[in-house]
Amino acid sequence: MADTVKEPSGSLTVVNGNSGRITPASQKVKNQATVIVGAQWGDEGKGKIVDLLAVKADVVCRCAGGNNAGHTVVVGKTEYDFHLLPSGVINPSCKSIIGNGLVVHLPGLFDELTKNEAKGLSGIRERLVISDRAHLVFDLHQSVDGLQENEKGLKKQQLGTTKKGIGPTYASKASRHGIRISDLIGDYDRFSEKFQNLVRIHKQAFPSLEVDVDAELARYRLLAEEVRPMVKDTVFLMNQVINNPQPQFIIVEGANAAMLDIDFGTYPYVTSSNCTVGGVLTGLGVPARAIGDVFGVVKAYTTRVGDGPFPTELTEEIGAGLQQRGAEFGVTTKRPRRCGWLDLVVVKYTHMLNGYSALAMTKLDILDALDEIKIGVAYRHEGKLLDSFPAELTLLDKVQVDYITLKGWKQDISAARKFEDLPKEALNYIQVVEEQLGVPVRWIGVGKKRDDVIERQ
């Protein structure tokens, strides 16, 4: 057992009984990661902010989720859609890492690579690193996802899943019959046994499930060789990066958003992974001290896809206008997004979870046409002010929202490139948000293109 000693300075050190080395217990990493997370229910425009920062990045990582997420980045006249790939792949000098916390559908990944290569992105495969500990999404997981959703539909309990197989794959992982990429590129006979066992377990639960085992095994034998050059021990790699004596700019790109986190979101209308800042540690295998700034991305209004409570939802003309002007349709599913006023009760709650250093507010320009704009600042139930964001969805469905009503600016702000260029009503809108949250707004999105962003120093 190691001995603990006290140095004269009062700092605690540990003497390792095996090697005799003295290691400061408070040892700091050389390079901390900048984390970018969604502050609402997703689709906030995280990819655009990641792309903005990734120009200077050495490493961009994803740590959770699968190809149920979707980011759109517009460069010039080209629009890139990313689902599994980190948005940093656009930067030719940046390494992109798919961490152990992700679930990976290999056919979908290679399809995504091919489509983006066809749009002019070259060298992606050489810059992409995939964790050997990431779990595999199989077509059978996607079939099961659909069967489960249909079953819930009969009971009027549908969750609005993307049917990409993400939930069933995480379920396989948690029940310890999942299959990792290390299994695929390792002993193929052992992989075959595991796959057949996976099929057997799912067919017991879903007798109508059809899987051509031989065809799948033949396909994955080829995929194993295609993915092999990209696979590494990313836990070791990430710890090399954070402890590199040379400065390294590391970005962690969150998928989905805090209100879709399986523990902290509006459960069960959530995703199947932890998409708050804690998921960075488990999804990449890095220590807590590796986290530096945490930037929350918040849309200037609120959207969500699928079912679930939405206190500030606008179901009439204004909501339809936001949906149309904001092109609020899912990148992955093309489903229309529900729209509502900015809900700062939600953002305060996710700030509690993530501890934002600053915010990026996207799509402020979508509010250009409105005479007046509302911001939700508190919830009440039966006249009583609620202290916190409720876990009980029946209560959340019944809350009344307290709003601040502000005058709209009624002009096009897309040409603004400095904070002072914005009309006073838009400045007021941002300042109210900052005052309510106690968090500065550092970036403001005023259009769809890559450079339609105001950065405040």
Side-chain angles (χ1 to χ4, degrees):
M1 184 173 177
D3 298 312
T4 303
V5 297
K6 198 87 168 182
E7 289 197 331
S9 64
S11 62
L12 189 68
T13 63
V14 177
V15 180
N16 187 310
N18 295 326
S19 66
R21 290 181 303 163
I22 296 177
T23 308
S26 60
Q27 181 186 16
K28 292 183 179 180
V29 300
K30 301 291 191 298
N31 302 289
Q32 290 184 310
T34 296
V35 181
I36 299 169
V37 293
Q40 297 160 303
W41 276 286
D43 308 307
E44 299 94 348
K46 298 178 290 295
K48 186 172 187 176
I49 303 304
V50 171
D51 178 53
L52 189 71
L53 295 177
V55 172
K56 299 177 181 178
D58 298 290
V59 180
V60 177
C61 321
R62 276 198 55 194
C63 61
N67 62 345
N68 58 330
H71 298 310
T72 301
V73 177
V74 180
V75 182
K77 295 182 179 180
T78 306
E79 190 170 288
Y80 299 101
D81 291 336
F82 301 122
H83 302 276
L84 267 169
L85 294 173
S87 302
V89 296
I90 289 177
N91 179 356
S93 60
C94 176
K95 189 176 291 296
S96 294
I97 295 178
I98 291 177
N100 60 276
L102 274 86
V103 292
V104 179
H105 183 249
L106 285 179
L109 173 63
F110 286 115
D111 182 57
E112 186 176 337
L113 284 166
T114 301
K115 285 180 178 177
N116 283 293
E117 286 167 339
K119 291 180 179 179
L121 284 184
S122 60
I124 311 175
R125 298 175 196 237
E126 290 73 29
R127 300 195 297 273
L128 181 63
V129 180
I130 305 171
S131 174
D132 53 0
R133 291 176 169 86
H135 278 248
L136 289 165
V137 181
F138 294 100
D139 288 1
L140 70 89
H141 286 122
Q142 297 182 339
S143 298
V144 166
D145 209 351
L147 291 169
Q148 286 178 330
E149 191 74 348
N150 291 340
E151 206 172 76
K152 289 169 185 167
L154 296 174
K155 301 174 184 177
K156 297 184 179 179
Q157 295 175 349
Q158 282 184 304
L159 301 178
T161 172
T162 59
K163 300 179 183 177
K164 296 290 183 180
I166 309 303
T169 305
Y170 277 114
S172 292
K173 177 179 178 177
S175 57
R176 296 181 296 281
H177 56 253
I179 301 177
R180 304 197 294 184
I181 289 179
S182 58
D183 298 315
L184 175 65
I185 64 171
D187 183 333
Y188 200 78
D189 289 338
R190 180 66 181 134
F191 167 78
S192 300
E193 290 173 12
K194 287 189 171 187
F195 181 75
Q196 290 173 65
N197 183 56
L198 187 70
V199 173
R200 179 183 58 78
I201 289 168
H202 283 89
K203 283 186 74 69
Q204 285 176 347
F206 299 93
S208 64
L209 178 67
E210 295 182 3
V211 181
D212 187 334
V213 174
D214 291 339
E216 281 293 270
L217 288 174
R219 176 163 74 146
Y220 273 85
R221 186 181 287 278
L222 297 175
L223 287 170
E225 297 313 309
E226 194 170 1
V227 78
R228 191 184 300 278
M230 306 176 195
V231 179
K232 286 186 172 60
D233 180 347
T234 56
V235 176
F236 179 71
L237 176 61
M238 282 302 302
N239 278 269
Q240 280 188 314
V241 172
I242 63 177
N243 289 300
N244 191 324
Q246 298 299 318
Q248 299 285 299
F249 183 24
I250 308 160
I251 297 174
V252 181
E253 176 182 359
N256 307 120
M259 293 307 296
L260 296 174
D261 185 282
I262 193 165
D263 287 305
F264 303 112
T266 44
Y267 187 90
Y269 299 98
V270 292
T271 192
S272 302
S273 59
N274 289 111
C275 28
T276 42
V277 72
V280 175
L281 309 182
T282 55
L284 288 173
V286 295
R289 61 180 179 266
I291 304 297
D293 282 324
V294 179
F295 296 131
V297 185
V298 56
K299 204 174 282 186
Y301 47 102
T302 307
T303 62
R304 79 171 298 175
V305 174
D307 296 324
F310 189 170
T312 63
E313 184 171 14
L314 292 161
T315 56
E316 304 296 335
E317 183 180 344
I318 295 175
L322 291 175
Q323 186 185 82
Q324 183 180 7
R325 287 195 302 277
E328 295 296 351
F329 300 90
V331 175
T332 299
T333 63
K334 309 304 179 188
R335 291 182 297 178
R337 299 173 187 142
R338 299 153 63 194
C339 299
W341 296 121
L342 178 59
D343 188 337
L344 292 187
V345 181
V346 163
V347 185
K348 284 179 185 177
Y349 172 59
T350 65
H351 177 40
M352 288 170 56
L353 300 170
N354 292 312
Y356 302 129
S357 310
L359 293 173
M361 179 179 284
T362 60
K363 290 195 168 185
L364 185 65
D365 56 301
I366 304 305
L367 304 181
D368 283 357
L370 299 177
D371 293 313
E372 64 177 28
I373 303 165
K374 294 184 178 183
I375 301 175
V377 294
Y379 293 165
R380 295 180 186 272
H381 181 248
E382 296 179 349
K384 182 181 178 182
L385 195 66
L386 299 184
D387 293 329
S388 60
F389 191 88
E392 185 188 350
L393 298 196
T394 52
L395 173 58
L396 189 58
D397 265 331
K398 296 175 183 176
V399 298
Q400 297 86 44
V401 182
D402 285 357
Y403 289 102
I404 293 174
T405 302
L406 302 173
K407 184 181 178 183
W409 44 93
K410 297 286 289 181
Q411 59 181 284
D412 183 357
I413 61 170
S414 62
R417 290 297 178 269
K418 296 179 182 178
F419 189 60
E420 312 82 63
D421 294 341
L422 293 170
K424 64 179 182 180
E425 294 85 358
L427 295 175
N428 185 44
Y429 186 80
I430 294 163
Q431 286 161 358
V432 168
V433 170
E434 291 180 321
E435 289 166 6
Q436 288 289 320
L437 296 175
V439 182
V441 176
R442 180 170 166 181
W443 296 275
I444 302 149
V446 293
K448 190 175 181 180
K449 296 193 295 293
R450 191 183 200 186
D451 59 350
D452 289 342
V453 178
I454 296 168
E455 182 174 3
R456 298 165 73 191
Q457 301 299 328

